[in-house]
Structure formats: structure tokens, C-alpha cells
Amino acid sequence: MRPPRERLVEADRAGWTGMGRGAGRSALRFWPTLAVLLCSFPAASSPCKILKCNSEFWSATSGSHAPGPDDTPEFCDALRTYALCTRRTARTCRGDLAYHSAVHGIEDLMSQHNCSRDGPTAQPGPRTPPPPPAGDSQERADSPDTCHYEKTFHRHPATPNYTHCGLFGDPHLRTFTDRFQTCKVQGAWPLIDNSYLNVQVTNTPVLPGSAATATSKLTIIFKNFQECVDQKVYQAETDELPAAFADGSKNGGDKHGANSLKITEKVSGQHVEIQAKYIGTTIVIRQVGRYLTFAIRMPEDVVNAVEDQDSPGLYLCLRGCPLSQQIDFQAFHTHGGQRPGARRPAAPDAFPYEVAAAKCKEKLPVEDLYYEACVFDLLTTGDVNFTLAAFYALEDVRMLHSNKDKLHLYQRTWERPGGVAAALAPPGPQPLLIPLVLPTLLLLLPGSW
């Protein structure tokens, strides 16, 4: 089999299935539109809970819960429940295109199934799943071999070279090449953009008027691939870490290798893992406090499967943050931490340096860049949850990075003009105060950015 770099990625097809067998696929053409809308308008964390409504309806009308041909009353009950959910979130979803698409879809389905608007709203109860087809098993997910990345290397002497990328905190980025950067990157930014996968994060201010940001929304698109998976979208945001894709499913769709893409909830509302065996990839998403963290393990040839190799497009996990978005601690130190503009008072709950360092030391005894990032975040935000964000980010490196000797990093990297990476000398225990406190004060200056 050809390596992933040479595989042909099929053109995007309408991989979305209908909302349950009883719904009929033709009645749900609004669903692909909804999925596109969810990814096309990244925004700050919103009180609109249309994703929750969508997932609940899907769960009630698909898989073992799917109403059969004679279960129209049950399906209508689920539709009315869906409609009630959308009405409850209507006020907070005004102007949300995904919400309005769902409302129109519900109307179409109720018309097709002759459902009345008045009636019970209880969702269908669990049904006994049908027996699997003859010769089928849970392992059919790994067949054909095309849908299992590691099996394609059995005929090659070399084993795949896995790489890691992570984003956490305010925000700190560890690239696939183990560069460690602290960036501003407010708004929507692409972490990964290759032939198989798109990952986009939205970072919002931690405090009103502050330059400190953290990740409040995450969108992942798994592209349609051969006989393995349909296109799937995963979207998480603050207080909404679903254990399913945007269409409510937990695998790659209806194709023979669908189970080569699976989502698993490790801790409800706090920790989700996605396994994409067909591209040898593992993704870990967490919510720590009010913000999200992201970590990924991906083979090097999949990382570099970029359609336009000459394009300087954004791909933060591979190329790092743009120079204009990087926080250059060395330059801050060189210029005495001075920037134009009047000073603004620190965050109300900001920690003194000694307290921030002590809190981080409890979770991160090694004074590496994760420890430094932790101290920086506490000084910048006053939010103790950033201590856990740095801790779990390091734990994800421990689990996902193929080179255990690179668990701890001690040199922060930034880009000089022209794209040349430079490593900053690791600060000693006492000088650490300067590169952390001065940027913290600068981030609080009005009009600095």
C-alpha cells in the first residue's frame, strides 16, 4: 500500500447520514449544511446550546435507539423533544445560522412524518440492537488494511516516526518539531491543515480588556477517506465537551472501515480522546477550568501531507505562530520591559510571584518550560486552573510523544525575521522572575497590541 503522503484523498462527499433510520436521508439534507456552518463561523464561547440539542436527538434516533418503520409515533415524540430543546435555547441562539438550519430541518421532518406539534415529548427508549451480519465483528473496523495505518508498515523495515503537538494555557504551543512558543493568537487560528485533517481553535480574552487569551472553542474536521471514513466534524467549546461528533455519531460513518475512527469519553465533560487508526493519529481534548487544551500524536508523513508544499499558509502545529503573534521574552528583557502606553492595574486575583511559583512547583516539580508556562499564566490571569492545564499538557506529552527523552523542554524558541528559529537560553531559578513578570505587566498595558 502507498504511504499516506501518496494516497489520494477522495473528493468530499455527502457523508452525513440521516437522523435515524426512521427519518429517511432525503429529509435531512440540512444536516451537511449545519455541519459546514458549525465550522465556518468560529466564534467565542456562546450560550447557544444547539449542539446539545442536535446530539440528544441523534442519540435518540440512531443506532440501537433508532425507531423502525412502524415506530412513527416514537419518532414524532423524539422530534417534539428536539423542537422543545431548540425553543428553550432560542433566545441565546438568535442570529446563529446553525440553530436556524436545525429549526427548518425539524419542520421538514415533522411534515414528512405527519407529526403533530402537540403531543408527548418523551424520547424513544432503548431498543434491542439487531444481530451483526454474518462474518461481521468489532474487528471489521481494521479491515481492509488501508484503514489501519500501522499495518501498512509491515512490509517496510522502518517503523513510523510519530510526532506530537500540544496547545494549552495562555496559549502555549509545542509544535511537531518540539519548538515551544507562547503566542497571542486571539480569535480563530488553524492548528493543523493537511490532506487528512483540519483543526481550528478559537482563543478569547481571559479577562475583559486583557491581552491574555486561552482556548474556548475547538473544531476538528476528519476528511472523507477512501473506504474508511466519511467526513466527520467534532466541535467542543467551554462547558460543552461532547462525547460524539457533530452529527451525534461516535465513529467514522457507514463505510467498511468506519470503526477506524472512534471517539471515547474518558471523564464526562472533562476529557475526550479520538482515535483515527486509518491515519495513525490520537487526539486528546480536555476542559480544565473554563478553557480547553489540545494534544495530538500523528505520524510524520501524515503531518507533512500538505496539498501545497510551497504555500506559506498557517499551520501552527507545523510552522509555529507567526512572528507578529509570538511573545519574545528575550526582547522584553532587552528593552527593559517597556512599551508605549500607561500601565493598567494587574488582574484582581493575580498571584504574587512567590505564590505562583510555589503553586506550580506542587504539580510540576521540574523547572522546565511547562513549569515556566504555569507561573506565567498564574501571573497573567490569576486563575489557578492554569496550573492543572500545564500539568495535563505535560501528562499528554508523556503519553503521546514517541521520544521520552524530549518530555521536558528547557529552551523556548521564537522566530527571527526571515523564519529562522532561535533558542532562548534557559533562565536560572532567580532570573526567572524577570522574563515572567515583565511580560505579565506588558500584557496589561492598554493599546499595547
Side-chain angles (χ1 to χ4, degrees):
M1 191 189 113
R2 291 174 295 174
R5 185 194 296 270
E6 300 175 7
R7 296 179 193 171
L8 295 177
V9 180
E10 293 185 6
D12 289 345
R13 297 182 296 184
W16 307 102
T17 59
M19 291 183 179
R21 296 186 186 97
R25 299 187 180 185
S26 61
L28 293 168
R29 292 173 183 169
F30 80 97
W31 192 265
T33 304
L34 173 59
V36 171
L37 291 172
L38 291 174
C39 301
S40 300
F41 298 93
S45 179
S46 167
C48 177
K49 299 301 180 185
I50 189 61
L51 283 179
K52 183 173 181 290
C53 298
N54 295 342
S55 295
E56 288 178 351
F57 178 68
W58 176 275
S59 298
T61 57
S62 64
S64 61
H65 296 262
D70 300 326
D71 295 329
T72 296
E74 290 185 2
F75 185 75
C76 289
D77 291 351
L79 267 179
R80 282 188 288 267
T81 303
Y82 189 16
L84 177 62
C85 184
T86 61
R87 288 196 296 273
R88 286 173 175 169
T89 193
R91 177 173 296 181
T92 58
C93 292
R94 289 177 181 173
D96 188 301
L97 296 181
Y99 164 78
H100 291 291
S101 295
V103 170
H104 289 307
I106 293 170
E107 292 175 355
D108 290 343
L109 287 173
M110 294 189 78
S111 175
Q112 177 183 341
H113 289 268
N114 297 318
C115 299
S116 66
R117 295 184 180 277
D118 299 321
T121 57
Q123 297 182 6
R127 296 167 55 86
T128 304
D136 196 10
S137 71
Q138 294 295 322
E139 295 302 318
R140 81 179 179 94
D142 296 332
S143 180
D145 286 352
T146 306
C147 300
H148 198 304
Y149 178 85
E150 292 187 353
K151 286 186 177 181
T152 66
F153 280 83
H154 285 179
R155 61 194 69 175
H156 301 287
T159 56
N161 181 30
Y162 289 97
T163 58
H164 164 267
C165 176
L167 185 79
F168 69 98
D170 174 21
H172 309 283
L173 173 70
R174 179 169 179 160
T175 71
F176 284 126
T177 54
D178 292 311
R179 289 183 290 169
F180 195 98
Q181 299 172 342
T182 296
C183 310
K184 291 175 281 185
V185 290
Q186 182 172 334
W189 290 82
L191 281 183
I192 297 175
D193 183 13
N194 62 35
S195 298
Y196 307 95
L197 191 67
N198 292 113
V199 179
Q200 180 170 275
V201 293
T202 300
N203 302 312
T204 54
V206 174
L207 298 168
S210 172
T213 64
T215 302
S216 60
K217 187 173 183 178
L218 172 75
T219 300
I220 306 174
I221 301 176
F222 297 88
K223 299 181 182 180
N224 189 325
F225 181 69
Q226 296 183 8
E227 63 265 52
C228 304
V229 299
D230 297 320
Q231 177 171 291
K232 290 289 176 177
V233 178
Y234 180 81
Q235 188 173 55
E237 55 186 291
T238 299
D239 297 329
E240 195 71 44
L241 191 66
F245 296 108
D247 62 2
S249 64
K250 294 192 174 186
N251 69 2
D254 294 331
K255 294 184 176 180
H256 190 57
N259 285 339
S260 62
L261 176 62
K262 283 186 176 181
I263 184 169
T264 304
E265 185 176 64
K266 297 294 186 179
V267 180
S268 178
Q270 298 180 33
H271 180 187
V272 165
E273 290 187 12
I274 302 176
Q275 293 281 346
K277 289 185 179 180
Y278 66 102
I279 51 174
T281 295
T282 300
I283 298 174
V284 177
I285 305 139
R286 302 178 188 266
Q287 177 168 332
V288 184
R290 294 173 51 232
Y291 300 101
L292 305 176
T293 69
F294 171 85
I296 187 170
R297 168 185 165 102
M298 180 178 281
E300 191 173 48
D301 59 341
V302 177
V303 168
N304 293 312
V306 181
E307 294 176 2
D308 186 356
Q309 292 286 347
D310 298 325
S311 171
L314 295 174
Y315 184 164
L316 301 192
C317 273
L318 181 61
R319 302 184 177 109
C321 296
L323 178 61
S324 63
Q325 295 294 318
Q326 295 180 36
I327 297 177
D328 180 357
F329 287 80
Q330 191 175 57
F332 288 161
H333 180 71
T334 300
H335 293 90
Q338 298 298 320
R339 282 197 177 192
R343 296 186 181 275
R344 180 187 304 169
D349 300 322
F351 292 98
Y353 171 77
E354 293 77 8
V355 175
K359 287 185 176 295
C360 292
K361 195 75 171 178
E362 292 175 4
K363 286 289 186 180
L364 301 158
V366 178
E367 294 188 16
D368 60 359
L369 289 178
Y370 289 86
Y371 167 82
E372 286 188 39
C374 173
V375 176
F376 174 76
D377 288 351
L378 292 190
L379 293 173
T380 307
T381 69
D383 186 347
V384 73
N385 287 306
F386 282 96
T387 302
L388 286 175
F391 170 77
Y392 284 124
L394 185 61
E395 288 300 297
D396 290 338
V397 177
R398 195 186 307 274
M399 177 178 68
L400 300 175
H401 205 297
S402 59
N403 187 344
K404 302 309 177 185
D405 293 334
K406 292 186 177 181
L407 172 62
H408 298 287
L409 295 178
Y410 297 93
Q411 289 187 321
R412 185 182 304 275
T413 52
W414 58 283
E415 295 290 334
R416 290 195 179 102
V420 180
L424 305 186
Q430 296 302 322
L432 178 62
L433 176 61
I434 294 176
L436 287 171
V437 174
L438 290 179
T440 302
L441 296 175
L442 288 168
L443 286 170
L444 299 172
L445 295 177
S448 296
W449 307 104

